[in-house]
Structure formats: structure tokens, C-alpha cells
Amino acid sequence: MTENIVAETAERIFSDLADAQNLNNATNDGWKTPLWAALTDAGLPLTWVPEDCDGSGASLADGFSVASSVGRFAVPVPLVETMLAGWLLSQAGLPSPAGKMTVAPARPQDRVTISADGSLSGRVRRLPFASDAAHIAVIAQDAKGYSIALVEASACRIEAGESLGSDASNTVTFDNVKPLSSRPASPGTTPASLMLMGATVRSLQIAGALETMLDMTVRYSNERVAFEKQISKFQAVQHNLARLAGEVAAAVAAAGSAADAIANSSSFDDAVFLEAASAKIRCAEAAEKGTAIAHQVHGAIGFSMEHILHRYTLRALGWRDDFGHESYWATELGKFVAARGADELWPLVASR
């Protein structure tokens, strides 16, 4: 059951215009236009943009619910990327343009700098949906701190590329690009806070995709007959389904806890870091284990392009790398715990 009217609206649109089987059978991308138009009419791309910046003014919790829905439907359009871009622009009081956007950087190691004349320079890798976006929201650094800039995607050099799920994932080069607008970021808005937001969104998407995988796999095991009985009756299959359900439950709990922490915090403090980092690590692990189980239960048919399982499994696996992969966050989490000292470890864990 969805949590609020914003998520209900998203799910209704996805059900009508982004059914996985219909998209899998589509011979072209004609479905994208009516889908994006419906999302725009509902105000979903600008969910996190305040009303005084021409947005919907919905809460962080509402937007996180939409991200979960995107994962459950494995929707291959830059909805959450546009939401993140709008959120980033709002951190500097910049209005968001209409249309598709993405946000840069999407990798912790990538950097964009802003020069004295306001132009942007840098190279960011594997930027989700950059080739589909009309604009890119960028957090850039100079000697004084951080600024948020809005850039036309056409002003950048965008190299072709695809994610595991066959969605656009591009290397983007900013070569003294003049932004349409830029302002200093609000206090506390840094590349690290963008990574935490992005990691939480991707965790929610992974958890949502895993929920759908579990539903599909249980249903298939009850329909598929081998040796004159449903494969769900075999103990080995039951064991795998129980393991899959456990991974889904862990991912949903971890991602939801991170989303709650951000939604109920006034800053990206230690508690938010702990929750978001832990969620990305746990959801990434669940994606690896869960997709393997789902494919194992489905057998050969699950690997075929005609079946929709791959629409969820490949995207879930690809989302692990966006906004920091699990190894990066595990290292950062280890540094965080080590810096606080052994005596603080148990109180830190118990407080969550």
C-alpha cells in the first residue's frame, strides 16, 4: 500500500503508462513522451522544489516514496534524477526549468570547479540520463566554497554510454561552460550531502525493485510445474524464496530508515551519514544476492529478453554504483567509526 497521495499518483501513472511488459514489447521510444507529460502534469519531476521556485513543494518524505515507486516499476526515465536536480538547485534558491534534468557529479571521486568568471570545468563519469536531459544541475567548487549551477546539457560534451539496464549513462565534460545561472550553495550543501541524498534515493530504488522481483518470483514458482508439481513445493526452492524475502526485508528496512533520517533532520549530520551509508551498503548487497536468487528460480526464461525480469535485476545491479558503490561507503563508514573510537561504537549503533 502506498503511503501518501504523491506516491499513489506516481504508481497510478506508472501502472497506466510504464507497465514493464508493455515497455519490453515496445518497438520504439514513443511511450516516453506521454509518460513524461503525465509525470509533468502531476508535478512529480519537481517534487522537491519549493513553490516559490516554481515547484510542487512536497516534502522529502513524499519524494522518497516516489523513488521507491520508481524502483518497483523500474521506470527508465530520469524522474528521480530530475527530482534530485531540483532539490540541489533549491539549495541555492535557484528556480528549476521545465523538462528532464540530471545532477552532477554522481560519483564521489568526480569534481567540477567554477572559475572566477563563473565558467565550469571538469569531467564527470557515468552520469545517469545525461544524454536525455535538457539541463544539468551541478555542484561546483572554488576557493571560497561551493556553488550550485544550472547548465544546458547541449553546452557540454556528452559521450555515449549505457548502464547495465540499457539506460543512458554518460561521461560529461565541462570545458569552460557558462552556466545559465549560479549561486553560492546554502551552508551544509556539499558534494558529500549530494552523495548522501543520491545514495538514499538509489537504495530506495533498489529496495523497490527487489520487492517486485520477490512478487514475480513467488508467482512464477507457484505457476511453474516440474516433475508433476509446482516448483514452489520443492524444499530447495522454498529455501531460496525465504532467502530472497529476507534480502528484500533488509533492503526495505535499511532504505526506509535512511529516508526517515534525512526527512526528519535539519542537516546532513552524523546520524544521516550512518543511516545513508549503511543503507547503500546493505541494499547493494541485497541487490547482488536477490537478483541471483530471482534468476535461479526463474531458470532460463528469466535470462531471455522477452521476459521482464531483467528490467529489474539489471537496473538494481546498476544502481549499486551510482552515488558511491558499497565498497566506497564501507570504507567511509569504517573511517567514521574509527575516528570516533572504540568506546563510541556501541552507543552509536544502539542509538539507531
Side-chain angles (χ1 to χ4, degrees), residues 17-53:
L17 300 172
D19 175 76
Q21 191 63 64
N22 291 339
L23 300 191
N24 211 41
N25 295 336
T27 57
N28 55 52
D29 291 338
W31 54 267
K32 289 185 178 181
T33 299
L35 172 59
W36 191 259
L39 293 172
T40 301
D41 289 344
L44 292 173
L46 301 183
T47 295
W48 282 331
V49 177
E51 293 180 358
D52 58 5
C53 289

Side-chain angles (χ1 to χ4, degrees), residues 111-125:
R111 294 289 183 271
V112 179
T113 59
I114 184 166
S115 64
D117 66 358
S119 62
L120 304 179
S121 298
R123 187 170 183 263
V124 295
R125 300 161 297 150

Side-chain angles (χ1 to χ4, degrees), residues 226-251:
F227 304 105
E228 299 183 346
K229 65 178 180 179
Q230 298 165 320
I231 64 171
S232 61
K233 304 297 183 182
F234 291 98
Q235 187 174 10
V237 174
Q238 292 174 351
H239 176 67
N240 273 342
L241 291 175
R243 288 175 55 213
L244 177 55
E247 294 298 326
V248 173

Side-chain angles (χ1 to χ4, degrees), residues 43-304:
L44 292 173
L46 301 183
T47 295
W48 282 331
V49 177
E51 293 180 358
D52 58 5
C53 289
D54 302 326
S56 301
S59 68
L60 286 172
D62 288 336
F64 286 137
S65 295
V66 172
S68 296
S69 299
V70 170
R72 282 192 290 274
F73 284 83
V75 181
V77 294
L79 176 56
V80 296
E81 290 76 14
T82 302
M83 289 167 53
L84 279 171
W87 170 82
L88 184 63
L89 292 171
S90 71
Q91 301 309 297
L94 293 172
S96 293
K100 300 173 183 176
M101 293 189 287
T102 190
V103 60
R107 294 289 185 277
Q109 299 83 1
D110 293 341
R111 294 289 183 271
V112 179
T113 59
I114 184 166
S115 64
D117 66 358
S119 62
L120 304 179
S121 298
R123 187 170 183 263
V124 295
R125 300 161 297 150
R126 299 179 65 180
L127 197 63
F129 293 104
S131 59
D132 292 347
H135 297 91
I136 304 174
V138 185
I139 183 165
Q141 185 175 13
D142 61 14
K144 298 179 181 179
Y146 297 102
S147 293
I148 310 299
L150 177 65
V151 175
E152 282 186 315
S154 59
C156 307
R157 185 167 75 251
I158 300 178
E159 300 173 27
E162 287 187 347
S163 68
L164 279 176
S166 298
D167 299 324
S169 180
N170 314 98
T171 295
V172 179
T173 301
F174 300 87
D175 187 7
N176 293 316
V177 173
K178 292 288 187 180
L180 296 174
S181 58
S182 67
R183 287 181 186 171
S186 61
T189 302
T190 66
S193 59
L194 174 59
M195 290 301 125
L196 291 170
M197 276 290 288
T200 300
V201 165
R202 284 296 192 251
S203 297
L204 290 163
Q205 289 179 268
I206 290 171
L210 283 166
E211 287 183 291
T212 301
M213 285 183 230
L214 176 60
D215 291 342
M216 291 172 56
T217 305
V218 170
R219 184 168 60 250
Y220 179 79
S221 70
N222 286 323
E223 296 171 350
R224 178 75 168 90
V225 174
F227 304 105
E228 299 183 346
K229 65 178 180 179
Q230 298 165 320
I231 64 171
S232 61
K233 304 297 183 182
F234 291 98
Q235 187 174 10
V237 174
Q238 292 174 351
H239 176 67
N240 273 342
L241 291 175
R243 288 175 55 213
L244 177 55
E247 294 298 326
V248 173
V252 170
S257 185
D260 287 344
I262 293 177
N264 293 302
S265 178
S266 58
S267 64
F268 288 87
D269 55 16
D270 288 351
V272 167
F273 171 84
L274 178 65
E275 293 281 1
S278 301
K280 191 66 191 299
I281 295 167
R282 189 62 187 90
C283 289
E285 292 176 351
E288 180 183 6
K289 296 175 182 177
T291 56
I293 295 170
H295 276 291
Q296 186 176 29
V297 173
H298 276 82
I301 193 172
F303 288 92
S304 67

